[in-house]
Short mmCIF file of all heavy atoms in Angstrom, two decimals:
data_model
loop_
_atom_site.label_atom_id
_atom_site.label_comp_id
_atom_site.label_asym_id
_atom_site.label_seq_id
_atom_site.Cartn_x
_atom_site.Cartn_y
_atom_site.Cartn_z
N ALA L 1 -19.90 105.86 -65.23
CA ALA L 1 -19.19 105.80 -63.94
C ALA L 1 -19.66 104.62 -63.10
O ALA L 1 -18.85 103.92 -62.47
CB ALA L 1 -19.41 107.11 -63.18
N TYR L 2 -20.97 104.37 -63.10
CA TYR L 2 -21.52 103.25 -62.31
C TYR L 2 -21.01 101.92 -62.85
O TYR L 2 -20.57 101.05 -62.09
CB TYR L 2 -23.06 103.30 -62.37
CG TYR L 2 -23.72 102.24 -61.50
CD1 TYR L 2 -24.14 102.54 -60.21
CD2 TYR L 2 -23.91 100.93 -61.97
CE1 TYR L 2 -24.74 101.58 -59.41
CE2 TYR L 2 -24.51 99.97 -61.18
CZ TYR L 2 -24.92 100.30 -59.90
OH TYR L 2 -25.49 99.34 -59.11
N ILE L 3 -21.06 101.77 -64.16
CA ILE L 3 -20.62 100.51 -64.78
C ILE L 3 -19.13 100.30 -64.60
O ILE L 3 -18.67 99.19 -64.29
CB ILE L 3 -21.02 100.50 -66.27
CG1 ILE L 3 -22.55 100.48 -66.40
CG2 ILE L 3 -20.41 99.30 -66.99
CD1 ILE L 3 -23.06 100.73 -67.81
N THR L 4 -18.35 101.36 -64.75
CA THR L 4 -16.89 101.26 -64.57
C THR L 4 -16.55 100.85 -63.15
O THR L 4 -15.65 100.03 -62.92
CB THR L 4 -16.23 102.60 -64.91
OG1 THR L 4 -16.48 102.91 -66.28
CG2 THR L 4 -14.72 102.54 -64.67
N GLN L 5 -17.28 101.40 -62.18
CA GLN L 5 -17.05 101.05 -60.77
C GLN L 5 -17.26 99.56 -60.54
O GLN L 5 -16.50 98.91 -59.80
CB GLN L 5 -17.97 101.87 -59.88
CG GLN L 5 -17.76 101.66 -58.39
CD GLN L 5 -18.70 102.51 -57.56
OE1 GLN L 5 -19.91 102.55 -57.81
NE2 GLN L 5 -18.17 103.21 -56.58
N TYR L 6 -18.31 99.01 -61.18
CA TYR L 6 -18.56 97.57 -61.04
C TYR L 6 -17.41 96.75 -61.60
O TYR L 6 -16.93 95.81 -60.95
CB TYR L 6 -19.87 97.20 -61.74
CG TYR L 6 -20.02 95.70 -61.94
CD1 TYR L 6 -20.27 94.86 -60.85
CD2 TYR L 6 -19.87 95.12 -63.19
CE1 TYR L 6 -20.38 93.49 -61.01
CE2 TYR L 6 -19.98 93.75 -63.36
CZ TYR L 6 -20.23 92.94 -62.27
OH TYR L 6 -20.32 91.58 -62.43
N PHE L 7 -16.94 97.10 -62.78
CA PHE L 7 -15.86 96.32 -63.40
C PHE L 7 -14.53 96.50 -62.65
O PHE L 7 -13.71 95.57 -62.61
CB PHE L 7 -15.72 96.68 -64.88
CG PHE L 7 -16.73 95.97 -65.74
CD1 PHE L 7 -17.95 96.54 -66.02
CD2 PHE L 7 -16.46 94.70 -66.24
CE1 PHE L 7 -18.90 95.88 -66.78
CE2 PHE L 7 -17.39 94.02 -67.00
CZ PHE L 7 -18.62 94.62 -67.29
N ASP L 8 -14.33 97.65 -62.05
CA ASP L 8 -13.14 97.83 -61.20
C ASP L 8 -13.19 96.87 -60.01
O ASP L 8 -12.16 96.31 -59.60
CB ASP L 8 -13.06 99.27 -60.70
CG ASP L 8 -12.67 100.26 -61.79
OD1 ASP L 8 -12.19 99.80 -62.86
OD2 ASP L 8 -12.84 101.48 -61.57
N GLN L 9 -14.38 96.67 -59.48
CA GLN L 9 -14.53 95.74 -58.36
C GLN L 9 -14.28 94.30 -58.80
O GLN L 9 -13.66 93.51 -58.08
CB GLN L 9 -15.92 95.87 -57.74
CG GLN L 9 -16.11 95.01 -56.49
CD GLN L 9 -17.49 95.17 -55.88
OE1 GLN L 9 -18.39 95.72 -56.50
NE2 GLN L 9 -17.66 94.69 -54.66
N VAL L 10 -14.79 93.95 -59.98
CA VAL L 10 -14.53 92.61 -60.52
C VAL L 10 -13.03 92.37 -60.63
O VAL L 10 -12.52 91.31 -60.25
CB VAL L 10 -15.19 92.44 -61.90
CG1 VAL L 10 -14.78 91.10 -62.52
CG2 VAL L 10 -16.72 92.49 -61.78
N ALA L 11 -12.31 93.37 -61.13
CA ALA L 11 -10.86 93.24 -61.29
C ALA L 11 -10.18 93.05 -59.95
O ALA L 11 -9.26 92.23 -59.81
CB ALA L 11 -10.31 94.47 -62.01
N ARG L 12 -10.62 93.79 -58.92
CA ARG L 12 -10.03 93.67 -57.59
C ARG L 12 -10.31 92.31 -56.96
O ARG L 12 -9.42 91.68 -56.39
CB ARG L 12 -10.56 94.78 -56.67
CG ARG L 12 -10.01 96.16 -56.93
CD ARG L 12 -10.32 97.10 -55.77
NE ARG L 12 -11.75 97.18 -55.51
CZ ARG L 12 -12.57 98.05 -56.09
NH1 ARG L 12 -12.11 98.88 -57.00
NH2 ARG L 12 -13.86 98.08 -55.78
N VAL L 13 -11.56 91.87 -57.06
CA VAL L 13 -11.97 90.64 -56.37
C VAL L 13 -11.43 89.39 -57.08
O VAL L 13 -10.95 88.45 -56.43
CB VAL L 13 -13.50 90.57 -56.27
CG1 VAL L 13 -13.95 89.21 -55.73
CG2 VAL L 13 -14.03 91.69 -55.37
N ARG L 14 -11.50 89.39 -58.40
CA ARG L 14 -11.13 88.20 -59.16
C ARG L 14 -9.74 88.26 -59.78
O ARG L 14 -9.23 87.25 -60.26
CB ARG L 14 -12.15 87.95 -60.27
CG ARG L 14 -13.54 87.61 -59.74
CD ARG L 14 -14.52 87.41 -60.88
NE ARG L 14 -15.84 87.00 -60.41
CZ ARG L 14 -16.92 86.93 -61.16
NH1 ARG L 14 -16.84 87.26 -62.45
NH2 ARG L 14 -18.07 86.54 -60.65
N GLY L 15 -9.16 89.45 -59.84
CA GLY L 15 -7.86 89.60 -60.47
C GLY L 15 -7.92 89.46 -61.98
O GLY L 15 -6.90 89.15 -62.61
N THR L 16 -9.10 89.68 -62.56
CA THR L 16 -9.27 89.57 -64.00
C THR L 16 -8.63 90.78 -64.70
O THR L 16 -8.76 91.91 -64.23
CB THR L 16 -10.76 89.50 -64.38
OG1 THR L 16 -11.39 88.51 -63.57
CG2 THR L 16 -10.93 89.15 -65.85
N SER L 17 -7.95 90.55 -65.79
CA SER L 17 -7.23 91.62 -66.47
C SER L 17 -8.19 92.55 -67.22
O SER L 17 -9.30 92.17 -67.60
CB SER L 17 -6.24 91.03 -67.47
OG SER L 17 -6.92 90.43 -68.55
N LYS L 18 -7.72 93.79 -67.45
CA LYS L 18 -8.50 94.77 -68.21
C LYS L 18 -8.73 94.29 -69.63
O LYS L 18 -9.77 94.59 -70.23
CB LYS L 18 -7.76 96.11 -68.22
CG LYS L 18 -7.85 96.87 -66.92
CD LYS L 18 -6.98 98.11 -66.95
CE LYS L 18 -7.39 99.08 -68.05
NZ LYS L 18 -8.72 99.68 -67.77
N GLU L 19 -7.78 93.56 -70.18
CA GLU L 19 -7.92 93.08 -71.55
C GLU L 19 -9.15 92.17 -71.70
O GLU L 19 -9.80 92.17 -72.75
CB GLU L 19 -6.66 92.31 -71.97
CG GLU L 19 -5.44 93.19 -72.21
CD GLU L 19 -4.80 93.68 -70.92
OE1 GLU L 19 -5.06 93.07 -69.85
OE2 GLU L 19 -4.07 94.69 -70.97
N ILE L 20 -9.44 91.43 -70.66
CA ILE L 20 -10.61 90.54 -70.68
C ILE L 20 -11.90 91.32 -70.36
O ILE L 20 -12.94 91.11 -70.98
CB ILE L 20 -10.41 89.37 -69.69
CG1 ILE L 20 -9.29 88.46 -70.18
CG2 ILE L 20 -11.71 88.58 -69.52
CD1 ILE L 20 -8.91 87.37 -69.21
N LEU L 21 -11.82 92.22 -69.38
CA LEU L 21 -13.01 92.91 -68.91
C LEU L 21 -13.46 94.06 -69.80
O LEU L 21 -14.66 94.30 -69.94
CB LEU L 21 -12.77 93.45 -67.49
CG LEU L 21 -12.61 92.42 -66.36
CD1 LEU L 21 -12.29 93.12 -65.06
CD2 LEU L 21 -13.87 91.58 -66.22
N ASP L 22 -12.52 94.77 -70.38
CA ASP L 22 -12.87 96.00 -71.10
C ASP L 22 -13.86 95.83 -72.25
O ASP L 22 -14.77 96.67 -72.40
CB ASP L 22 -11.61 96.70 -71.60
CG ASP L 22 -10.92 97.49 -70.49
OD1 ASP L 22 -11.48 97.57 -69.38
OD2 ASP L 22 -9.81 98.02 -70.74
N PRO L 23 -13.76 94.78 -73.06
CA PRO L 23 -14.75 94.65 -74.14
C PRO L 23 -16.18 94.54 -73.62
O PRO L 23 -17.10 95.16 -74.19
CB PRO L 23 -14.31 93.37 -74.86
CG PRO L 23 -12.85 93.27 -74.58
CD PRO L 23 -12.69 93.78 -73.17
N PHE L 24 -16.38 93.76 -72.57
CA PHE L 24 -17.72 93.62 -71.99
C PHE L 24 -18.16 94.93 -71.36
O PHE L 24 -19.29 95.39 -71.52
CB PHE L 24 -17.74 92.48 -70.98
CG PHE L 24 -19.10 92.16 -70.41
CD1 PHE L 24 -20.25 92.38 -71.14
CD2 PHE L 24 -19.21 91.63 -69.13
CE1 PHE L 24 -21.51 92.08 -70.63
CE2 PHE L 24 -20.46 91.32 -68.61
CZ PHE L 24 -21.61 91.56 -69.35
N LYS L 25 -17.24 95.56 -70.61
CA LYS L 25 -17.54 96.84 -69.97
C LYS L 25 -17.96 97.87 -71.02
O LYS L 25 -18.98 98.55 -70.86
CB LYS L 25 -16.33 97.35 -69.19
CG LYS L 25 -16.57 98.69 -68.51
CD LYS L 25 -15.30 99.25 -67.90
CE LYS L 25 -14.38 99.81 -69.00
NZ LYS L 25 -13.21 100.51 -68.42
N ASP L 26 -17.18 97.98 -72.07
CA ASP L 26 -17.47 98.98 -73.10
C ASP L 26 -18.81 98.71 -73.79
O ASP L 26 -19.54 99.66 -74.13
CB ASP L 26 -16.34 99.01 -74.14
CG ASP L 26 -15.02 99.52 -73.56
OD1 ASP L 26 -15.06 100.17 -72.49
OD2 ASP L 26 -13.96 99.26 -74.17
#
C-alpha cells in the first residue's frame, strides 16, 4: 500500500503512464 501510494503520486505529478511505472512498482 505504501509503495503503491508513492507510484500513484508519481503518476499524478509527472503524468507518467501505468505501463511505464508498473514494472518498477511491482
